[in-house]
Amino acid sequence: QLLAGADGARGNDASCLKTAVVSWLMSMTPPPQPALLPYDKSGRGFYNDATARLLCPVDYDWDNPRHRQNIRDYHPDFLVTANSWPLFLYANGKYNPNFPNHGLFKGELLVKAFRYIFTSPSSAEFTSDDLDSKFLLAQPKRHRCCEQCMRSNVASLLGMKTVALRAITYIAVQLHFALVSCGSWRIIDVFFDYHQFYKNIVTFFEDIADMEAEEFIKELVLWWNRLVTMKFVAEKTNSTLQASVWPSEHDQLHPPSR
């Protein structure tokens, strides 16, 4: 029953993001052409420049006509796999090969999706200046996210006092699935393995090799906490960093497994 409930919640998240992503992308100037449809994913993925640019691995350049055609033709040198970060993970959709971690896991759509799932659908539309922690983390309130699914403030229900890195990982998986053209969940979509994608992000977050990596993770968590306005005061000791940055067993969230 617990597994069935977890799968149901993940399915609801996927269903809600399926329509929410279209709303966010269609509000861009100029909007995607052809227009994206909220309940039909067949025109997403690499069939539409807007979603394709977000999904494009940072190793390739979607604005390069040769790269674009090779990706669509499944050229063996341009396969889209889980072993390269998609551009939507980066702030402003900008990747600098000289500084590959700059802006990583700060993508605008990633933040919107996190707010949508863990705080409230309406909070996804707010800027960081608009957000107020008392509003987001007060008594749980029910919000309408689509015709079939209603949710309470998930962050409050889970007792999350800080943004768990595995929660960001979960949202990255859900957002990727919302952007692709695949209509139903599958672990491997063509050459893209969602379980491998999840594991790659977890490894990046948890395999702290040196002080530089530790500082990057610490700054990233503080940045996320400020952005989603969850109350968190960082301590400078390593023990506190470990206790506050790494999600507890209670906080850990995992991608759908069907």
Side-chain angles (χ1 to χ4, degrees), residues 110-184:
L110 187 66
V111 174
K112 280 180 174 288
F114 186 98
R115 289 173 175 168
Y116 191 96
I117 296 299
F118 285 108
T119 56
S120 73
S122 58
S123 72
E125 308 302 327
F126 296 163
T127 66
S128 57
D129 292 335
D130 294 329
L131 292 171
D132 179 81
S133 60
K134 292 182 180 179
F135 168 73
L136 292 178
L137 296 179
Q139 294 297 323
K141 298 171 67 176
R142 300 187 71 83
H143 301 274
R144 185 178 183 85
C145 68
C146 60
E147 290 185 5
Q148 290 79 23
C149 59
M150 304 281 285
R151 65 172 60 255
S152 296
N153 184 324
V154 177
S156 293
L157 293 177
L158 291 176
M160 292 173 64
K161 299 297 189 293
T162 180
V163 174
L165 291 171
R166 291 204 179 196
I168 299 173
T169 308
Y170 170 73
I171 293 300
V173 172
Q174 285 278 16
L175 180 55
H176 192 285
F177 179 67
L179 292 169
V180 298
S181 59
C182 182
S184 59

Side-chain angles (χ1 to χ4, degrees), residues 45-64:
F46 293 100
Y47 298 107
N48 189 294
D49 281 342
T51 50
R53 186 170 285 104
L54 292 165
L55 292 167
C56 186
V58 296
D59 296 330
Y60 315 138
D61 179 7
W62 186 253
D63 292 324
N64 182 315

Side-chain angles (χ1 to χ4, degrees), residues 13-64:
D13 291 341
S15 178
C16 291
L17 282 181
K18 174 183 176 180
T19 57
V21 161
V22 170
S23 174
W24 301 332
L25 293 179
M26 291 303 296
S27 66
M28 297 190 311
T29 304
Q33 292 294 334
L36 297 168
L37 302 177
Y39 296 105
D40 182 1
K41 296 183 67 185
S42 61
R44 304 184 195 183
F46 293 100
Y47 298 107
N48 189 294
D49 281 342
T51 50
R53 186 170 285 104
L54 292 165
L55 292 167
C56 186
V58 296
D59 296 330
Y60 315 138
D61 179 7
W62 186 253
D63 292 324
N64 182 315

